[in-house]
Amino acid sequence: MNITSVSILLQTAAALQLAVALLNIFLVPLLKWKEDLARAPLLLREVFQVHAWFISVTLAIFGLITWRFAGELAAHANAIAVWLAAGIGIFWGIRTVLQVTYYSTSHWRGQFGRTMIHIFLLFGYGGMAAIYLWAAFGTSS
């Protein structure tokens, strides 16, 4: 795969990360979790909200840096480009594994729409892991 192709894939991953960062901010109303969170202890609510924001900030940083430096990441321009791509790839790789191993199948099994979302997320997270890990360790021409 050539540097231009990897760069385009990285920019696609960057756009997806920015979309996930934005979506994550609205997760509570989208999934109708307001009442559930209201019943949770105050500390749990606060930790949940802080983590949700920081995940969004982290993904936005990943997305913006990737968008700006996609060419450098794809070309292995320097050690930090390789390390950054590897780190983000590992981040998404772990998230992919958790999608399969941690979440209970009771959340989606037997429900077509939720099953499709589960599969979409699995391929989305796995795809981003693959793109970043290819950028870090693959050979580009």
Side-chain angles (χ1 to χ4, degrees), residues 17-27 56:
Q17 287 173 111
L18 291 169
V20 172
L22 185 61
L23 180 68
N24 195 55
I25 293 171
F26 300 103
L27 210 53
S56 290

Side-chain angles (χ1 to χ4, degrees), residues 19-77:
V20 172
L22 185 61
L23 180 68
N24 195 55
I25 293 171
F26 300 103
L27 210 53
V28 170
L30 284 171
L31 296 177
K32 299 178 175 97
W33 287 348
K34 188 174 182 179
E35 288 180 20
D36 292 325
L37 280 175
R39 288 191 303 270
L42 178 61
L43 181 59
L44 183 60
R45 283 196 315 268
E46 291 172 343
V47 168
F48 175 87
Q49 291 168 337
V50 167
H51 281 208
W53 276 98
F54 270 87
I55 289 167
S56 290
V57 168
T58 300
L59 295 181
I61 291 168
F62 285 176
L64 291 170
I65 289 174
T66 299
W67 187 269
R68 168 57 184 86
F69 296 103
E72 288 87 342
L73 294 170
H76 303 161

Side-chain angles (χ1 to χ4, degrees):
M1 189 174 296
N2 66 34
I3 292 171
T4 303
S5 298
V6 175
S7 182
I8 290 168
L9 288 172
L10 284 165
Q11 286 184 320
T12 302
L16 287 171
Q17 287 173 111
L18 291 169
V20 172
L22 185 61
L23 180 68
N24 195 55
I25 293 171
F26 300 103
L27 210 53
V28 170
L30 284 171
L31 296 177
K32 299 178 175 97
W33 287 348
K34 188 174 182 179
E35 288 180 20
D36 292 325
L37 280 175
R39 288 191 303 270
L42 178 61
L43 181 59
L44 183 60
R45 283 196 315 268
E46 291 172 343
V47 168
F48 175 87
Q49 291 168 337
V50 167
H51 281 208
W53 276 98
F54 270 87
I55 289 167
S56 290
V57 168
T58 300
L59 295 181
I61 291 168
F62 285 176
L64 291 170
I65 289 174
T66 299
W67 187 269
R68 168 57 184 86
F69 296 103
E72 288 87 342
L73 294 170
H76 303 161
N78 51 50
I80 196 167
V82 174
W83 278 84
L84 182 63
I88 297 173
I90 291 167
F91 174 92
W92 285 113
I94 292 168
R95 182 59 181 86
T96 302
V97 169
L98 290 174
Q99 185 71 22
V100 175
T101 62
Y102 184 75
Y103 288 112
S104 170
T105 59
S106 67
H107 300 302
W108 54 269
R109 184 160 285 158
Q111 300 175 56
F112 180 77
R114 287 184 176 213
T115 299
M116 291 298 102
I117 291 168
H118 172 74
I119 292 169
F120 174 79
L121 292 174
L122 182 62
F123 281 102
Y125 299 150
M128 285 192 283
I131 290 167
Y132 279 101
L133 292 172
W134 180 263
F137 302 113
T139 56
S140 299
S141 52

